Amino acid sequence: MSTTSTARAAVTLTVALFACAACSRSEAPAQSASSAPGAAPAASTAGSAAATLPAPSVPLASMPKLDPAVVLQHVKVLSSDKFQGRAPGGIGEDLTVSYLETQFKDLGLKPGNPDGTYVQKVPLVGITGAEARPLTFTKGTQKLTLKWKDDVVAWSKHVADTAQVDKSDVVFAGYGIEAPEYGWNDFKGIDVKGKTIVVLVNDPPIPDPADASKLDPKMFGGKAMTYYGRWTYKFEEGARQGAAAVLIVHETVPAAYPFSVVQGNLGEKFDTVAPDKNMSRSSIEGWITVDSARKLFEMAGQNFDELKKKALSKDFTAVPLGLQASMALKNTLRTINSRNVVAKLEGSDAALKDEYVVYTAHWDHLGVGEAVNGDTIYNGARDNAAGVALMLEVARQFTKVQPPPKRSILFTMVTAEEQGLLGSQYYAATPLYPLNKTVADINIDEPNVYGASKDVTVIGMGASDLDDYLQQAAQEQGRTLRPDPQTEKGYYYRSDHFNFAKQGVPALYIESGVEAAGDKPADSLKNKLDDFEAHDYHAPSDVVKPDWDLSGAAQDGQLVFAVGYRVANAARFPEWKPGNEFKAKRDEMLRRQP
C-alpha cells in the first residue's frame, strides 16, 4: 500500500464520518435519517394518493424482470480487491470508469454527455486548513481567544492559500434560517455582509400550541429534521447573506453527537471547484463549543440562554453583539480530476425526448486505508457496488421494456459521494441537461442484499408525487411502504438524490424493508441489516458474503424501474407536495421554462 493511497484513505474515512450520506447512524454529525422537509404524515399520504394515479399501461407483472445473478456478478467485479476500494483519483477510479463505460456500450446506451463521451469531468480540490491566527473576539480592551480544536474547529472552502476575517463585527443570527414557507427570517432588518454570524444548531424546536410537550408539526417538520436544521445549510445560508464567517454553536443534546465528532472533521476536506474558486463561500466556516458561546455572549453583555429562547419566535431579530472577530487560516491545496459516468436511453417520443428521468448511484468508496484484521482494502460491496450493479440491471431492463419510455432516461454513476455528495453536487450545479427538463431523480444506495421483504422503507416519505408511483408499484408486489422511523435524524439530506432536491427536482430514495418475506423469520432481515451497520459499514469487511440473497435487491430494483418508467410516460411532471421546502424553487423553475 503506497503512502499516497494511505493518506488519501485516511482523509476519506475522516470526511466520510462527518459528511457522507450513509454515515454511522449513531455518530454522524449531520444526523442520519429523516423524512423530507415539510413532508406530510407519511403513512397516509402515499397510500391514499396512489389511488389517484391512472392504472398503469404496463403492469409490473408484464415488465422485464431484474436478474439477481446479473446484479451479483457486477458486484463481485466492482468490489474485488483489483478495484482497490474505488477511491476517486486513483487506479480504482480508472478501473471503475472503464468498467462502467464498457457495460453501457454493451447495453447499447448512448453517451450521456452531449460532448459524445460517457463521462462528466468533476474537478475536486482537497483543502487542509491549519490555524494561522487564533479566533479572537475583542470588545474595547477585553479579549477572548478560543483554543484551536478544543474550543473551535474551523476551515475554509476558498481555493486559496489563506483565508481570514479581521475585526469583523459579530452578530447572533438565531438559527441562521430564511424559510419563507414558514414565515421565518432570522436575517430580517439586518445586513450581515462582511460580518461574523453566530448561529444555533438544528431546526428551531417550536412547541406545539396544543401540547407543549411536543413539537409543532406545522413548523420545521415538528420532530422530523428539515434541511434548515442541517449544519451544511447554515454555512450555505450564511454565504448567501454575505457573511464573512459562520460559526455554529455546538450543543450535544440537540445535535445528537459530541464535539469530538466535530473535531474529527479537521484535516483535508474535499470540495468541488466552482468557477469563482469558491470565493462566494464565507471566508471561514466552523463550530464553537457551547461553553465558548456562553463566554462570548457574557463578554457582549448578553445571556446565551435568554437569547436562545428569543430565537424560537418568528419575531426574533438578529442581535449585534458589539464584538469584533479576527482569525486566519492557511491552506494546503491539492487537486484531482474525477468523473461522473453517464449513459442515456433516448426517449421514443419526439416531443418528450428532451425531458429526462435521472437515476443516480455513487460508484466510489473509501479506497485503501488502515488495516482491520490485516485487510486494508475497503471494498464497499454493499456500499455502493451493489447500488451501481442494480442500476446497471435496471438500465438493461429499460433497453428491453415495451413500449419504450417516451422521455429519455439518464443513468448517472456519480463520484465522491463519500466525500460529501460531491459528484451529484457538481452535476446538479452544472447539469448536462437543464434541470427544468429533468423530471425526477431516483437514487440507489446500499440496496437490500439479504432477501425479499414484505415492506420497503421510504426516506422522506410524503415529499412528492414520486411516492404515489412507488406506492402503486409496491401494491402490485403485495408490499407496503414503511416511513422512516427516525425522522429527526435527517437521512433525506445524506445521499445523492438530495442535491437534485435542493435544486428543486423531485427526488426519490428508498432503503431496504425490515420484515423478511417468505419462510424466513420476520426479524431475520432487520437482524442482518443491524449486523451490517455494526460490523461491516465502512469497513474492509463490506464484501460479498455467503449469506447474500439478491432477490431483495431485484425486488426493490423492480420498484424503482417501474417508477422511472411510469414517470417517463406520464402526462405531467411529478410535483412536490404542498408545504415542501423545495416546492417553491421547482415552481419558479418551471414558470420560467420556455
Side-chain angles (χ1 to χ4, degrees):
M1 180 174 57
S2 70
T3 302
T4 301
S5 63
T6 304
R8 181 174 66 244
V11 167
T12 302
L13 288 167
T14 299
V15 176
L17 172 64
F18 199 78
C20 86
C23 276
S24 169
R25 275 45 169 170
S26 61
E27 295 180 338
Q31 287 71 39
S32 301
S34 157
S35 66
S44 60
T45 301
S48 59
T52 67
L53 291 176
S57 58
V58 181
L60 197 67
S62 300
M63 291 183 177
K65 298 295 185 292
L66 277 69
D67 188 340
V70 173
V71 177
L72 181 60
Q73 183 56 39
H74 288 310
V75 178
K76 287 180 176 178
V77 173
L78 291 164
S79 64
S80 65
D81 284 355
K82 178 181 177 181
F83 281 64
Q84 295 287 293
R86 305 187 308 282
I91 187 174
E93 169 161 357
D94 292 339
L95 290 170
T96 303
V97 170
S98 177
Y99 183 81
L100 295 176
E101 286 181 309
T102 298
Q103 296 305 311
F104 284 145
K105 289 176 184 177
D106 288 348
L107 290 173
L109 296 173
K110 294 184 177 182
N113 194 322
D115 70 4
T117 71
Y118 288 94
V119 300
Q120 179 190 35
K121 294 179 181 178
V122 182
L124 300 177
V125 60
I127 304 176
T128 304
E131 183 184 61
R133 191 168 75 244
L135 176 59
T136 301
F137 298 95
T138 56
K139 179 182 181 182
T141 59
Q142 298 181 66
K143 179 186 291 187
L144 174 65
T145 299
L146 300 192
K147 188 174 181 181
W148 181 254
K149 189 175 180 180
D150 290 346
D151 301 324
V152 58
V153 170
W155 58 84
S156 177
K157 293 294 186 76
H158 289 186
V159 185
D161 294 334
T162 60
Q164 65 180 14
V165 293
D166 189 29
K167 296 181 180 179
S168 168
D169 291 339
V170 182
V171 175
F172 173 59
Y175 285 85
I177 293 171
E178 184 176 350
E181 67 271 32
Y182 296 117
W184 195 281
N185 185 2
D186 286 326
F187 299 97
K188 58 183 175 290
I190 192 168
D191 183 355
V192 297
K193 288 185 176 69
K195 298 177 182 178
T196 294
I197 62 171
V198 179
V199 298
L200 301 170
V201 72
N202 284 29
D203 293 304
I206 311 297
D208 188 338
D211 184 349
S213 67
K214 299 179 180 179
L215 297 181
D216 188 347
K218 297 180 181 179
M219 293 297 296
F220 297 101
K223 177 185 175 183
M225 172 172 281
T226 75
Y227 186 55
Y228 297 119
R230 290 274 280 117
W231 57 276
T232 50
Y233 167 82
K234 314 284 183 176
F235 296 134
E236 291 168 3
E237 187 58 42
R240 279 190 287 271
Q241 298 289 340
V246 181
L247 300 173
I248 301 175
V249 179
H250 175 272
E251 293 187 87
T252 298
V253 172
Y257 48 89
F259 195 68
S260 60
V261 175
V262 177
Q263 291 169 324
N265 197 41
L266 289 172
E268 188 176 35
K269 295 174 66 65
F270 275 91
D271 203 354
T272 55
V273 182
D276 69 348
K277 303 294 185 182
N278 302 343
M279 300 303 287
S280 59
R281 299 289 296 248
S282 300
S283 295
I284 291 175
E285 302 171 357
W287 298 71
I288 61 175
T289 63
V290 65
D291 288 341
S292 297
R294 293 184 190 283
K295 294 175 184 177
L296 175 66
F297 280 54
E298 183 179 355
M299 180 179 172
Q302 300 283 353
N303 182 285
F304 173 78
D305 293 313
E306 289 181 1
L307 284 185
K308 183 178 174 182
K309 289 179 182 178
K310 289 182 179 180
L312 288 176
S313 170
K314 291 181 181 180
D315 297 328
F316 170 81
T317 55
V319 179
L321 295 180
L323 310 176
Q324 292 185 319
S326 298
M327 186 181 197
L329 299 174
K330 55 184 178 181
N331 291 333
T332 301
L333 307 174
R334 73 180 178 101
T335 58
I336 65 171
N337 289 309
S338 193
R339 288 158 285 183
N340 293 332
V341 188
V342 191
K344 178 171 70 172
L345 177 70
E346 192 168 89
S348 62
D349 189 314
L352 298 178
K353 68 178 183 179
D354 289 334
E355 298 173 354
Y356 294 86
V357 175
V358 178
Y359 283 86
T360 49
H362 73 91
W363 60 255
D364 67 301
H365 198 56
L366 304 181
V368 178
E370 183 178 351
V372 178
N373 297 323
D375 190 355
T376 60
I377 298 176
Y378 290 68
N379 304 82
R382 183 172 177 233
D383 182 17
N384 189 35
V388 170
L390 189 58
M391 192 202 289
L392 287 173
E393 179 61 0
V394 169
R396 187 169 75 95
Q397 303 315 318
F398 262 107
T399 67
K400 297 163 59 176
V401 68
Q402 292 297 324
K406 295 179 180 180
R407 293 185 174 91
S408 295
I409 312 295
L410 206 64
F411 303 100
T412 309
M413 310 291 197
V414 295
T415 184
E417 186 269 359
E418 302 289 5
Q419 299 288 342
L421 317 183
L422 299 184
S424 57
Q425 174 186 313
Y426 188 82
Y427 182 94
T430 56
L432 297 177
Y433 303 94
L435 294 184
N436 62 4
K437 297 290 188 178
T438 301
V439 181
D441 174 67
I442 300 171
N443 188 50
I444 304 174
D445 195 355
E446 286 190 28
N448 172 17
V449 296
Y450 302 115
S453 67
K454 296 179 181 179
D455 57 349
V456 60
T457 303
V458 187
I459 303 303
M461 189 166 166
S464 78
D465 295 343
L466 294 174
D467 290 351
D468 305 338
Y469 287 94
L470 183 69
Q471 173 74 8
Q472 184 182 67
Q475 288 175 342
E476 292 174 79
Q477 286 185 331
R479 302 171 70 195
T480 59
L481 301 190
R482 172 181 176 266
D484 177 9
Q486 300 182 80
T487 56
E488 72 279 8
K489 292 187 177 179
Y491 279 148
Y492 192 83
Y493 316 105
R494 301 191 61 73
S495 196
D496 290 302
H497 67 285
F498 170 60
N499 282 316
F500 288 83
K502 189 164 64 170
Q503 295 295 334
V505 178
L508 177 68
Y509 176 38
I510 68 171
E511 287 191 346
S512 172
V514 297
E515 186 177 0
D519 57 1
K520 295 180 181 179
D523 62 354
S524 62
L525 175 54
K526 184 178 186 303
N527 291 340
K528 287 184 179 294
L529 292 168
D530 290 345
D531 185 72
F532 173 85
E533 291 292 334
H535 301 106
D536 299 329
Y537 175 75
H538 280 195
S541 56
D542 181 8
V543 296
V544 176
K545 296 189 176 183
D547 67 344
W548 274 29
D549 177 356
L550 288 176
S551 62
Q555 184 188 36
D556 290 348
Q558 200 77 32
L559 286 181
V560 296
F561 171 41
V563 170
Y565 177 74
R566 289 169 181 175
V567 168
N569 291 307
R572 62 180 182 85
F573 283 20
E575 298 178 359
W576 294 106
K577 299 294 186 183
N580 187 281
E581 71 183 61
F582 305 123
K583 180 174 171 56
K585 186 158 191 174
R586 181 62 161 182
D587 291 348
E588 176 63 22
M589 177 195 302
L590 297 181
R591 274 196 298 270
R592 290 183 292 168
Q593 182 168 304

